Amino acid sequence: MILKSIFAAAVALAAFMPLTLGARAGTVTDISGRKVEVKTPVEKVILGEGRQIYLIAALDTDNPFKRIVGWREDFSQADPDNYAVYLEKFPSMATIPTFGGFKDGTFDIEQAIALQPDVMIMNIESKQATEDAQYIEKLAAVGIPVVYVDFREHPFTNTEPSMRLIGKLFGQEKRAEEFIAYRAAQIARVTEVIAEKDPKRPTVFVERAGGYSDDCCMSFGNDNFGKFVEMAGGRNIAADLIPGTFGALNPEQIIASDPDQVIVTGGNWEAYVPGGKWVGVGPGADEAAALKKLKGLTERPALTGIKAVENGRIHAIWHQFYNSPYQFVAIQQMAKWLHPDLFGDLDAEATFKELHEKFLPVEYRPGHWVSLSDEQ
């Protein structure tokens, strides 16, 4: 009854609210194929995931938070190092109202209504939960459109249209196209060489969030980091074993595959698994500590006796490359690990630094990858 009253009041209020000066009514198509009416450029936005700021920072570079009136509370927990970097420059971001998630049922729809956003941007993986709870209809009833984007499930299909969508919503189409062109050129620096030289592809096991739990071993199928491997000139051992983007391999499968190289995704997950065995790579990371943890992961039964361990071809890389439009940096670094003879002059560190200088409002801080091969 209370929620119905809120809907009624909000609908009544919306009827008397004039169109924002300079805004225009229009229709956009989101990643799910939905046609959504939105008044653009939007001025008030709710982010269904805080880490969507990775892209928004490349569009609203002067102040990525100027349109954000609410966001899911995951940026500070899943990527606290980057959160601290942004907080240092934009302290007001700490005052942005935070939400729970759609998938876990902790989203506060009444809070969202009170903030009167022009649009809510959701990740595609929350679509089923959103539909089950009828959030789309409830929010539409009070004039709040919802659009879906994707940088995680199928990043090489959906990253560019997601960027174009947000660019249109923000009135930053030109800036979005500049980023898309830069990203494509940086990917081509790897894929064109692989296509021309056609090198022998080393086999690679990518462990998703290694050390996050005692279970082993989460990995990737044919997309996300699994696709990164293929683009970088490797062969993902899980490609034929995991039918979707995400899944798991058992230790026997890894030992039987005997991969030439292992790449572990890592990050600072102290908020989720305090003192865990995860490899803490990321901006400003303690690389010595990360290397120590990475070496510890090689002692698990799943990696016993495989070529990658014996040859020291064990690497760790920032997990959040899987969930941002910065995937090309990971592809470049992985190409250097897999084919050092072909990519000796390619400097992924310089690329990531240049990305910050061209598109992001904060300075680059190293620490996004480590490798046991560097110790040899």
Side-chain angles (χ1 to χ4, degrees), residues 40-313:
T40 60
V42 296
E43 294 185 355
K44 299 171 70 176
V45 179
I46 288 178
L47 302 184
E49 181 171 283
R51 284 168 291 173
Q52 289 169 354
I53 206 70
Y54 297 144
L55 169 62
I56 289 169
L59 301 179
D60 283 343
T61 307
D62 59 327
N63 181 1
F65 306 98
K66 64 185 180 183
R67 304 177 204 257
I68 312 306
V69 297
W71 58 352
R72 184 183 171 194
E73 190 174 10
D74 62 277
F75 188 26
S76 64
Q77 298 171 337
D79 188 11
D81 297 331
N82 246 323
Y83 183 88
V85 171
Y86 276 86
L87 184 64
E88 183 178 318
K89 185 164 185 179
F90 302 101
S92 63
M93 68 185 260
T95 66
I96 298 174
T98 58
F99 293 90
F102 279 80
K103 293 176 74 173
D104 61 14
T106 59
F107 175 72
D108 186 343
I109 194 169
E110 296 180 22
Q111 183 185 13
I113 293 169
L115 293 171
Q116 298 180 0
D118 299 314
V119 70
M120 178 176 289
I121 302 174
M122 297 296 303
N123 282 0
I124 193 67
E125 63 265 20
S126 66
K127 185 172 184 291
Q128 187 61 54
T130 304
E131 291 177 348
D132 290 346
Q134 296 186 318
Y135 284 131
I136 299 292
E137 294 83 357
K138 293 173 181 177
L139 291 168
V142 293
I144 301 175
V146 174
V147 298
Y148 292 107
V149 297
D150 176 38
F151 299 98
R152 182 190 287 121
E153 295 288 325
H154 301 290
F156 292 97
T157 301
N158 293 333
T159 289
E160 288 190 6
S162 292
M163 295 178 72
R164 288 193 172 99
L165 171 60
I166 299 179
K168 184 173 183 179
L169 291 174
F170 285 19
Q172 291 276 26
E173 293 96 332
K174 182 175 182 293
R175 181 72 166 174
E177 291 301 329
E178 289 172 354
F179 192 104
I180 287 168
Y182 180 78
R183 175 179 175 274
Q186 294 302 325
I187 291 174
R189 294 177 68 189
V190 172
T191 55
E192 289 179 358
V193 173
I194 296 298
E196 178 186 352
K197 301 296 184 181
D198 190 23
K200 181 180 178 181
R201 291 175 175 265
T203 55
V204 182
F205 166 52
V206 182
E207 183 174 6
R208 181 185 177 195
Y212 186 89
S213 72
D214 292 332
D215 296 332
C216 186
C217 294
M218 294 189 295
S219 191
F220 301 84
N222 284 310
D223 217 322
N224 209 290
F225 264 94
K227 182 71 170 178
F228 296 4
V229 167
E230 302 295 331
M231 297 176 79
R235 184 164 64 83
N236 173 24
I237 68 167
D240 297 326
L241 301 172
I242 295 176
T245 301
F246 307 108
L249 300 180
N250 63 50
E252 291 75 17
Q253 289 173 316
I254 298 166
I255 293 170
S257 297
D258 195 17
D260 297 307
Q261 302 204 29
V262 172
I263 299 173
V264 177
T265 71
N268 180 353
W269 291 311
E270 189 68 25
Y272 298 132
V273 188
K277 297 177 182 178
W278 38 264
V279 183
V281 288
D286 183 335
E287 296 185 24
L291 278 169
K292 183 177 180 180
K293 282 191 173 184
L294 179 59
K295 187 175 294 184
L297 293 181
T298 67
E299 299 170 359
R300 295 170 299 165
L303 303 188
T304 300
I306 64 172
K307 290 195 294 282
V309 172
E310 293 177 353
N311 298 326
R313 301 302 179 190

